[in-house]
Amino acid sequence: MPRSTKELTGKEKAAVLLIGLGPEVSAKVLRHLTDEEIEELTLEIAATRHVPSELRNQIIKEFHELVLAQTYIAEGGISYAREVLEKALGRDKAVDILKRLTSMLQVRPFDFLKQTDSMQLLHYLQEEHPQTIALVLSYLEPKQAAEILASLPPERQGDIAFRMATMRGASPEAIYEVERILEQKLASTGIADITQVGGVDAVVQILNLVDRSTERAILEQLETTDPELAEEIKKRMFVFEDIVLLDNRSIQKVIREVPQEDLVLALKGASEEVRQLLFRNMSQRMAESIREEMEYMGPVRLRDVEEAQGRIVGVIRRLEELGEIYVRRGGEDELIE
């Protein structure tokens, strides 16, 4: 048996804890678990031959600290828990406990900002370094992040979007420090060695929610900074199923621009909602012809379907850039026919 808790898995720690608690208390704990969890822990306990008292005490202490931290979070949120734990155990220990606990509870960093008004948060963020802003926006809900990004000066938007898209990870210590500074600035009350944040998907989610002019300005800056990254973001911003975001006139324009063989292949792998939407926007004769081709062509390769859908998406983006069709976005009002 290892002599350090760092060498044990979560299941092994749980088994040692139950052994240390004794049969009566352990029985009460097991009543709250699923049959599968009980079976796994029972096997783990049976496989545990000897537990050094020092190791058992370490695990019980670790468990006690986690329970305390969870109690503090329930009483006053992450900020309050951090403050109390720092005073009681020191900064490093507090960070370690909260990192493990928030990971188990699935509490995201900067969770306290969810209830903060976007414009108020913008006021405190706009003077920060672009990398700091990128880090914070990566953790916010896409709608809130989009509002803030759209309100920043145009010359900063592309830089921040680029930093988000190319961000690979952030250490808990760096996240902790930024959280602490923001909490102090906002006077608000209510974490794995590398936490995955940012990335292309985060930028795509945000750009899908900003207004068209902000999106265009950011993409133009990214095209100058990193053309390949800009193209990757463009590809992910609109997928074939997003055709439901087009108004009827735009869909009819797309249908006229796309070869029928591409429509047949694309619809072969489309959802029923998308199929019916396109059929409603084409002539009855064309719809019947496409249905017949889809029926008689039999199984098709997924790659062929995706390539056809990709070509149609390319047509949609080209027509949108030319101003010939309209794609409804989160930051814009709908058109009235």
Side-chain angles (χ1 to χ4, degrees):
M1 172 68 69
R3 303 194 63 85
S4 170
T5 59
K6 293 182 179 180
E7 301 175 46
L8 297 178
T9 66
K11 192 188 302 182
E12 289 171 334
K13 287 183 181 180
V16 173
L17 177 65
L18 290 176
I19 292 171
L21 292 175
E24 291 187 9
V25 176
S26 295
K28 293 179 181 179
V29 173
L30 291 174
R31 291 194 195 110
H32 297 279
L33 304 180
T34 65
D35 291 344
E36 184 179 351
E37 289 169 334
I38 292 172
E39 181 181 347
E40 290 180 358
L41 275 175
T42 301
L43 290 172
E44 194 64 48
I45 291 170
T48 304
R49 299 301 179 192
H50 173 67
V51 182
S53 58
E54 181 183 352
L55 180 62
R56 183 191 61 212
N57 292 337
Q58 285 178 8
I59 291 174
I60 293 175
K61 181 183 177 183
E62 182 179 303
F63 175 72
H64 180 247
E65 290 171 344
L66 290 174
V67 170
L68 278 180
Q70 189 167 356
T71 302
Y72 296 147
I73 290 174
E75 291 176 355
I78 293 287
S79 178
Y80 173 73
R82 182 184 297 125
E83 182 181 351
V84 174
L85 290 171
E86 278 191 3
K87 289 179 180 178
L89 306 171
R91 182 178 182 278
D92 292 342
K93 187 68 173 177
V95 170
D96 180 60
I97 292 172
L98 286 175
K99 180 175 67 176
R100 284 185 279 120
L101 186 58
T102 52
S103 175
M104 288 188 292
L105 295 176
Q106 295 184 325
V107 177
R108 285 171 60 83
F110 303 103
D111 195 61
F112 67 96
L113 295 177
K114 285 184 179 178
Q115 304 304 318
T116 305
D117 178 76
S118 297
M119 294 304 100
Q120 181 187 11
L121 183 54
L122 171 68
H123 173 73
Y124 291 102
L125 278 178
Q126 58 187 357
E127 300 303 324
E128 295 291 337
H129 189 279
Q131 191 68 22
T132 299
I133 300 176
L135 174 65
V136 176
L137 294 189
S138 295
Y139 277 110
L140 296 181
E141 293 296 327
K143 185 175 185 298
Q144 188 180 21
E147 291 173 353
I148 294 171
L149 185 60
S151 300
L152 288 167
E155 62 272 15
R156 303 193 73 191
Q157 292 171 346
D159 180 31
I160 291 168
F162 174 76
R163 291 172 184 270
M164 289 180 64
T166 56
M167 192 180 296
R168 293 294 176 261
S171 69
E173 290 74 20
I175 295 172
Y176 175 89
E177 188 62 22
V178 175
E179 278 188 301
R180 185 183 64 80
I181 293 171
L182 272 179
E183 284 180 321
Q184 289 177 348
K185 285 187 174 183
L186 292 167
S188 173
T189 59
I191 320 195
D193 291 336
I194 293 295
T195 303
Q196 185 62 41
V197 296
V200 172
D201 287 340
V203 175
V204 168
Q205 286 183 328
I206 292 172
L207 290 185
N208 277 333
L209 292 170
V210 301
D211 59 89
R212 186 67 179 97
S213 60
T214 299
E215 175 206 307
R216 189 186 298 277
I218 291 173
L219 286 174
E220 286 176 354
Q221 292 182 55
L222 286 175
E223 284 170 354
T224 302
T225 307
D226 191 328
E228 290 185 6
L229 176 62
E231 187 59 32
E232 178 65 20
I233 290 173
K234 283 182 180 181
K235 287 179 181 177
R236 297 199 199 180
M237 281 188 64
F238 192 99
V239 297
F240 181 72
E241 295 288 327
D242 290 337
I243 202 167
V244 297
L245 300 176
L246 274 61
D247 58 80
N248 290 332
R249 291 175 184 169
S250 297
I251 293 173
Q252 292 160 18
K253 175 69 174 176
V254 172
I255 290 173
R256 290 194 296 270
E257 296 285 328
V258 172
Q260 183 163 319
E261 55 266 30
D262 278 351
L263 281 172
V264 173
L265 271 174
L267 290 179
K268 187 77 174 177
S271 66
E272 189 60 28
E273 179 188 10
V274 171
R275 288 184 183 181
Q276 294 307 318
L277 178 64
L278 266 67
F279 287 147
R280 287 197 302 270
N281 280 281
M282 61 179 69
S283 68
Q284 184 176 351
R285 181 178 177 181
M286 184 178 187
E288 289 175 355
S289 173
I290 289 178
R291 285 193 178 100
E292 287 179 2
E293 286 190 56
M294 289 171 60
E295 182 179 351
Y296 288 121
M297 77 186 327
V300 294
R301 293 187 303 176
L302 177 61
R303 187 177 67 181
D304 293 336
V305 171
E306 292 176 342
E307 287 176 353
Q309 291 180 347
R311 288 192 291 271
I312 294 175
V313 168
V315 170
I316 292 171
R317 290 205 63 88
R318 175 173 58 80
L319 292 175
E320 184 189 18
E321 289 172 1
L322 292 172
E324 296 185 21
I325 65 171
Y326 168 76
V327 179
R328 188 170 68 250
R329 298 181 188 279
E332 298 175 337
D333 295 329
E334 295 187 28
L335 292 180
I336 298 177
E337 302 249 351

